[in-house]
Amino acid sequence: MAAEQQYIDLFTQYEALICQQSADILNAPRAKAFADFERQGFPTRKQERYKYTDVGKFFEPDYGLNLNRLEFPVNPYEVFKCDVPNMSTSLYFVVNDSFDKHVHPSAQLPEGVIVGSLKDMAEAHPELVKGYYGKLADTSKDAVTAFNTMFAQDGVLVYIPKHTVVERPIQLVNILRADVNFMVNRRILIVLEAGAQAKMLVCDHAMDEVNFLSTQVVEVFAGEGAVFDFYELEETHNSTVRFSNLYVRQEAGSNVLLNGMTLHNGTTRNTTEVQLAGRGAEVCLCGMAIADKNEQVDNNTFIDHQVPDCTSNELFKYVLDDQAVGAFAGKVLVREGAQHTNSQQTNRNLCATRESRMYTQPQLEIYADDVKCSHGATVGQLDENALFYMQQRGVSLKEARLLLMFAFVNEVVDHIRMDALKDRLHLLVEKRFRGELNKCKGCAICK
């Protein structure tokens, strides 16, 4: 309990300060979250869901926390100059775990749409936030979620009213900024009412070469007939540790695309849970990881088919080089009575060296008899015959390897439903395989 005890003591000592610098609605579940965390402790590798990631080990070092909500001296609009050609976005920033108040004029939204500080919106629209905050993120079932609920003081609220179509994608950039080893705990709450449509891109960047640990809990509510695309792109560095838990609930006829891409990282653990709670709901859950050196990427997913006539399509691909470690555990549950379920789960993995390691665990649990479900996983190396064939036609071995790896992950990128972002990701993936850091002209973040 060494790692847990320091945070139990910290919360006990500073609970009043944590609550003072947050909002009443965010404070309401803290006591229960603390009790749940104290009871559970950090997950160990003896637990099936965390068997590939030693969570407690990453929380043992001392990290700074900004419990008093001091403002960090950075204007993200001055340092973040990255641009995706032909993709105009409504751009917002979170610096560490605080929503940045510098709102750019280009962030124009339809009437009634809200994008803002979760703390501020909880005070300005208490009934809205109270109706959703913490309703999917169950602290009694996951200690990382409990930990985040204890310490998170701010984050982002995205609210799309009924039948509102947000044409311009919403882009949220999470910036890690500190002079000492630092921990951030942020929340993102996304609510799409019936018939609403929106696309959102979340990017993670680290400005400084210190050790960062971030916990993030995202709750997504997709109302009846809502359409939502949620893209996550991680481009940090080898000294970052990220724990991100994404919870999604879909009502009847909703369509949700979830696509998480890890291009640069240290250690990443992503948990995704999707509830298909209304007839005709559809989810496409994709993920891609490119890792080398000693990087680690662990994705754990759970799709819950609760009612009939729902569709899920899941695709995760990894390319691992050097001593990188990848893990994927995906479970699809078809509950009793969830007839006419259509579910497909695929995990494909490429180990470019003998030292890289991939662990995969696809699972399918069915309690209905009229369904169409499949799942499968493969782990392999580059096709020697294909490499030989390309070299015979004048392609160098290095270039042949790059082309095969690029083609391998291309399927995940092609699921993106934004052409400008898709083109940008093709370029970033190619640069990643060539060992080139993504340096955007004039950007102080992408170093």
Side-chain angles (χ1 to χ4, degrees):
M1 289 289 289
E4 292 87 348
Q5 193 60 51
Q6 65 174 322
Y7 296 106
I8 291 171
D9 294 342
L10 180 68
F11 183 82
T12 302
Q13 182 177 355
Y14 291 103
E15 181 180 4
L17 176 63
I18 293 170
C19 293
Q20 179 185 342
Q21 298 294 334
S22 190
D24 290 344
I25 293 172
L26 277 65
N27 293 334
R30 289 193 202 279
K32 180 180 182 301
F34 175 67
D36 288 335
F37 177 75
E38 196 172 23
R39 172 179 53 83
Q40 297 175 83
F42 287 118
T44 69
R45 298 182 72 168
K46 293 181 180 179
Q47 296 175 240
E48 186 69 19
R49 293 191 64 190
Y50 283 92
K51 66 187 297 184
Y52 304 116
T53 301
D54 185 357
V55 178
K57 177 183 73 173
F58 296 107
F59 284 84
E60 287 177 356
D62 290 330
Y63 295 97
L65 286 93
N66 187 17
L67 301 182
N68 209 26
R69 315 314 293 164
L70 300 177
E71 187 172 344
F72 280 73
V74 57
N75 183 344
Y77 288 95
E78 294 178 356
V79 299
F80 187 84
K81 304 296 183 182
C82 298
D83 182 40
V84 179
N86 304 317
M87 187 178 79
S88 176
T89 65
S90 295
L91 183 60
Y92 301 88
F93 292 91
V94 170
V95 179
N96 293 330
D97 46 19
S98 295
F99 184 83
D100 186 80
K101 302 297 173 39
H102 301 90
V103 178
H104 197 273
S106 67
Q108 298 175 357
L109 299 169
E111 184 178 355
V113 175
I114 299 172
V115 178
S117 160
L118 183 57
K119 172 183 177 294
D120 292 350
M121 294 303 108
E123 294 170 345
H125 306 278
E127 292 305 313
L128 170 62
V129 177
K130 184 179 180 180
Y132 295 99
Y133 182 76
K135 296 300 187 289
L136 292 179
D138 190 344
T139 59
S140 68
K141 294 182 178 179
D142 187 274
V144 174
T145 295
F147 182 93
N148 177 277
T149 305
M150 286 163 54
F151 288 105
Q153 295 168 286
D154 195 12
V156 181
L157 170 67
V158 177
Y159 169 73
I160 317 294
K162 287 183 179 179
H163 307 300
T164 299
V165 178
V166 182
E167 297 287 353
R168 177 180 291 184
I170 298 167
Q171 184 176 8
L172 177 66
V173 180
N174 294 322
I175 297 176
L176 298 174
R177 166 74 180 94
D179 298 323
V180 297
N181 295 342
F182 203 72
M183 175 190 292
V184 304
N185 302 284
R186 75 174 77 91
R187 298 290 286 237
I188 301 177
L189 176 60
I190 303 169
V191 180
L192 288 87
E193 292 192 340
Q197 297 183 30
K199 295 181 174 67
M200 186 170 179
L201 168 64
V202 180
C203 307
D204 281 11
H205 294 277
M207 283 187 66
D208 304 289
E209 296 296 327
V210 301
N211 295 323
F212 287 106
L213 189 153
S214 66
T215 74
Q216 174 177 277
V217 172
V218 184
E219 295 176 284
V220 178
F221 295 84
E224 185 173 340
V227 179
F228 183 55
D229 291 8
F230 186 70
Y231 305 101
E232 287 192 283
L233 178 61
E234 184 180 8
E235 290 184 280
T236 53
H237 57 61
N238 296 111
S239 298
T240 61
V241 177
R242 164 188 155 114
F243 289 91
S244 179
N245 291 0
L246 169 61
Y247 301 94
V248 181
R249 180 179 173 86
Q250 296 184 228
E251 304 302 336
S254 60
N255 184 297
V256 173
L257 169 62
L258 308 170
N259 199 328
M261 294 155 284
T262 301
L263 293 186
H264 292 279
N265 75 312
T267 298
T268 298
R269 159 67 190 220
N270 297 317
T271 300
T272 304
E273 296 188 3
V274 180
Q275 300 176 17
L276 298 174
R279 298 184 76 142
E282 298 182 26
V283 64
C284 180
L285 172 56
C286 302
M288 176 186 72
I290 302 172
D292 55 14
K293 303 181 180 67
N294 293 303
E295 297 169 358
Q296 178 175 332
V297 182
D298 180 358
N299 280 289
N300 187 286
T301 71
F302 175 50
I303 299 178
D304 186 357
H305 286 261
Q306 299 178 350
V307 296
D309 303 314
C310 292
T311 301
S312 66
N313 184 13
E314 187 172 3
L315 173 66
F316 277 78
K317 288 196 172 186
Y318 290 64
V319 176
L320 307 174
D321 206 346
D322 300 329
Q323 292 81 43
V325 176
F328 170 80
K331 180 177 180 179
V332 176
L333 171 62
V334 181
R335 294 185 183 270
E336 185 176 354
Q339 305 294 355
H340 309 124
T341 288
N342 190 339
S343 176
Q344 181 176 348
Q345 181 192 83
T346 305
N347 174 223
R348 300 282 184 257
N349 310 287
L350 188 62
C351 292
T353 65
R354 293 185 177 275
E355 292 75 25
S356 57
R357 292 290 180 268
M358 181 67 203
Y359 304 92
T360 180
Q361 188 180 18
Q363 303 169 69
L364 186 56
E365 197 170 327
I366 303 175
Y367 297 96
D369 54 13
D370 186 7
V371 300
K372 184 178 180 181
C373 300
S374 66
H375 71 301
T378 61
V379 180
Q381 295 181 315
L382 291 172
D383 188 332
E384 295 293 338
N385 290 330
L387 288 173
F388 178 77
Y389 177 86
M390 295 171 75
Q391 288 179 86
Q392 290 295 100
R393 279 147 184 80
V395 180
S396 69
L397 176 60
K398 180 180 179 180
E399 192 69 20
R401 287 169 55 87
L402 290 172
L403 290 171
L404 288 179
M405 289 190 291
F406 183 79
F408 180 78
V409 300
N410 198 44
E411 185 179 0
V412 175
V413 178
D414 282 344
H415 273 82
I416 295 174
R417 297 191 287 207
M418 295 163 55
D419 290 339
L421 179 59
K422 185 188 301 185
D423 293 341
R424 178 65 170 167
L425 260 296
H426 283 310
L427 176 61
L428 291 179
V429 169
E430 181 181 353
K431 285 187 173 184
R432 180 68 173 94
F433 282 136
R434 293 185 184 279
E436 303 172 8
L437 291 177
N438 173 36
K439 295 185 178 181
C440 302
K441 184 177 180 181
C443 180
I445 295 175
C446 301
K447 296 182 177 180

